[in-house]
Amino acid sequence: MKHARSADADLVVRLLHSVADAVADGMSTTQRVVAGAIVGVFALTPFGAWDEVVTEPEPLVAGQEIEVGPFELTVVRAVVTDDIGFLTPQEGNRLLAVVVDVTNVSDRPEYGVLLAKIFPAPTGEGIAPRSSPFGESAGSEETTEEPRLPDPTILSAEDGTNLDSINPGISYRVALVWEQQLDQAQDEVTLDLAELTWIEEDTTFGMDDQRWFAYGEVLYRGPVTVEKGADR
Amino acid sequence: MRHTRRRLTWRGTAFLVGAFAAACTLVNVVPHGTILERPFVVEGPVGETLDLSYAELTVTEVRTADTLESSFEQAVAGGTFLVVDATWRATDGYIVFAGAEVIDAEGRSFWATSRGGCAKGTNSQPGYAWRATYCFDVPRDALAGATLRLARGTHGEDDAGQRRDAVAVVDLGIGQHDVNELWDATEKISIEMPGFASAPATDAGGEG
């Protein structure tokens, strides 16, 4: 004699079978496959089938070499100072420089500003927002959203000159410089490094082929100790 | 009176579709990069005046340095600076000379830098010779067999700015045996801003 429980299960199976029969009856094979796939996806819903894929960034460790896009990068340290090269901060601000060893390991030259795509301004660290030539901070008065943070200025840490391009096989010690509000200064700064994706053929309106592009996905994240004084 | 109702004939449709397909095939099959859009390359050694149809170009000197110096900044090389002096003489009106790169023996490209007061590009009017100093930060293995590529068109993607236009390719004359000497050079070179040239490309004597 069958167990009561299995008899119940049997009934459910039989019921589902007859429902499936009734629905699938008269469907073509293609329709059945498609319907089956849809049912399958819905069946996975409680297990997170519709959840956004979230990739956790890897930990960023100062002194450790990593590869992003065409560059090998080593974040050396972060430094706060009052002037670097030709840069001086506005009153009440100071300069925050992230010092990075950079080597172009690809076989084509890149603009120095590509580094700004890898290193977006750290958020919540009091980076001074982009200022407009008209005095007030950028953006209209009504906007309540966070002001856009500026890209860093890319300098050679060695001599303070503007690093316009980085040729293949060449290494520089680079300073990525932001202006930081003095009252927000902390002993540590959390850096996000964005991933670069190679666009071989641009199918968007830009039609700008063969370049690195940052979609904004964070590849590495980690704290870097902020030192005071010396500028290299 | 006779009505011709069927304006769309099978034969006509087939002809149109066929012609369209043939045109698409032609566009795809013809090698743009290597034939249709190829720049006109004018080659020569250092010291020779090259005729680019829109300008005459003479590369006068090739040096290396670890440090560049100008009136406003000093730049230290990541590799070594290949410093090239060139003289332009525009023949076709006002011209912006935008393209400047070094190509090594492997075909890698190296861009000019504006660090240390160097010219990444320059511009001039016809009627005089105009001197500019270009600097390229290059690694050691790029020196032997390096060539200089100067033009009015920019390099850009696939040399897009130089399609169907004259480009000067100058062999810098660096052999394998010169590499050690050039790489070890610890000189500091003072870079002059672009200006009027008196020497080679001038035959009528410019402004001085």
Side-chain angles (χ1 to χ4, degrees):
Chain A
M1 190 186 144
K2 276 184 181 173
H3 205 269
R5 190 174 160 147
S6 78
D8 276 354
D10 226 28
L11 187 68
V12 170
V13 168
R14 247 185 287 165
L15 201 65
L16 282 176
H17 209 264
S18 56
V19 167
D21 264 357
V23 173
D25 198 35
M27 275 184 163
S28 72
T29 311
T30 317
Q31 284 170 326
R32 281 180 190 178
V33 169
V34 170
I38 291 170
V39 169
V41 169
F42 271 101
L44 287 174
T45 302
F47 306 104
W50 308 102
D51 289 358
E52 203 177 323
V53 180
V54 179
T55 48
E56 276 296 309
E58 288 184 44
L60 175 71
V61 182
Q64 195 174 303
E65 191 175 86
I66 50 177
E67 197 167 329
V68 182
F71 301 121
E72 263 174 20
L73 307 169
T74 309
V75 175
V76 182
R77 58 172 158 269
V79 179
V80 285
T81 177
D82 285 335
D83 65 298
I84 302 172
F86 55 86
L87 295 178
T88 44
Q90 283 187 350
E91 205 164 313
N93 292 350
R94 61 179 186 177
L95 298 176
L96 171 69
V98 173
V99 179
V100 186
D101 283 337
V102 178
T103 304
N104 182 352
V105 290
S106 78
D107 56 1
R108 37 171 275 149
E110 294 294 344
Y111 291 108
V113 289
L114 185 59
L115 289 170
K117 302 285 166 241
I118 302 177
F119 290 87
T123 49
E125 307 283 356
I127 299 299
R130 205 186 295 270
S131 59
S132 97
F134 307 108
E136 294 300 308
S137 66
S140 66
E141 287 166 33
E142 284 96 50
T143 52
T144 49
E145 59 189 76
E146 292 276 302
R148 246 193 93 197
L149 295 178
D151 283 345
T153 306
I154 314 289
L155 300 179
S156 157
E158 197 93 11
D159 50 33
T161 56
N162 209 332
L163 211 54
D164 48 3
S165 58
I166 303 175
N167 279 332
I170 295 293
S171 304
Y172 293 110
R173 177 155 286 192
V174 177
L176 304 139
V177 188
W178 289 276
E179 230 178 283
Q180 189 182 35
Q181 287 151 1
L182 211 50
D183 53 351
Q184 302 269 333
Q186 286 161 26
D187 297 340
E188 218 176 54
V189 59
T190 301
L191 292 179
D192 279 356
L193 268 68
E195 187 175 25
L196 291 182
T197 308
W198 177 251
I199 308 282
E200 179 61 32
E201 196 170 351
D202 191 348
T203 48
T204 64
F205 288 111
M207 307 261 285
D208 199 2
D209 294 346
Q210 300 190 346
R211 65 193 164 97
W212 292 98
F213 185 75
Y215 286 102
E217 192 179 319
V218 177
L219 200 57
Y220 292 93
R221 173 177 293 157
V224 176
T225 315
V226 177
E227 295 170 18
K228 280 185 181 142
D231 62 352
R232 67 172 59 180
Chain B
M1 195 173 124
R2 192 183 160 181
H3 293 278
T4 48
R5 279 196 177 169
R6 278 187 62 192
R7 294 262 164 83
L8 289 173
T9 62
W10 283 115
R11 192 183 292 179
T13 310
F15 174 76
L16 273 180
V17 170
F20 186 72
C24 288
T25 312
L26 188 72
V27 167
N28 279 300
V29 162
V30 170
H32 305 251
T34 50
I35 294 178
L36 285 188
E37 298 169 351
R38 198 166 52 181
F40 306 112
V41 174
V42 183
E43 287 178 295
V46 174
E48 191 178 299
T49 299
L50 304 177
D51 186 359
L52 300 184
S53 78
Y54 53 83
E56 285 169 10
L57 169 72
T58 316
V59 171
T60 51
E61 199 178 355
V62 182
R63 298 169 284 174
T64 51
D66 277 354
T67 311
L68 302 175
E69 205 176 31
S70 70
S71 54
F72 54 93
E73 68 180 21
Q74 202 172 68
V76 181
T80 193
F81 284 119
L82 199 53
V83 181
V84 180
D85 293 305
T87 304
W88 288 100
R89 176 179 275 278
T91 52
D92 196 21
Y94 171 77
I95 290 175
V96 177
F97 303 103
E101 58 186 324
V102 160
I103 312 287
D104 75 354
E106 293 172 35
R108 291 184 300 177
S109 163
F110 302 86
W111 288 341
T113 181
S114 59
R115 299 171 67 212
C118 298
K120 275 164 88 173
T122 190
N123 55 75
S124 87
Q125 304 273 11
Y128 54 81
W130 188 253
R131 171 190 50 74
T133 304
Y134 298 92
C135 308
F136 305 86
D137 201 345
V138 297
R140 184 192 172 100
D141 59 1
L143 287 171
T147 54
L148 172 71
R149 187 179 171 106
L150 293 177
R152 64 176 168 185
T154 55
H155 33 78
E157 170 221 329
D158 292 337
D159 299 321
Q162 301 174 349
R163 286 174 189 153
R164 312 286 294 166
D165 199 14
V167 168
V169 173
V170 178
D171 185 349
L172 296 178
I174 303 170
Q176 199 63 51
H177 54 277
D178 302 318
V179 171
N180 284 338
E181 193 189 331
L182 290 174
W183 182 255
D184 293 340
T186 52
E187 282 179 67
K188 184 187 278 188
I189 293 182
S190 290
I191 302 298
E192 283 179 54
M193 300 291 283
F196 294 109
S198 48
T202 324
D203 45 345
E207 287 277 299

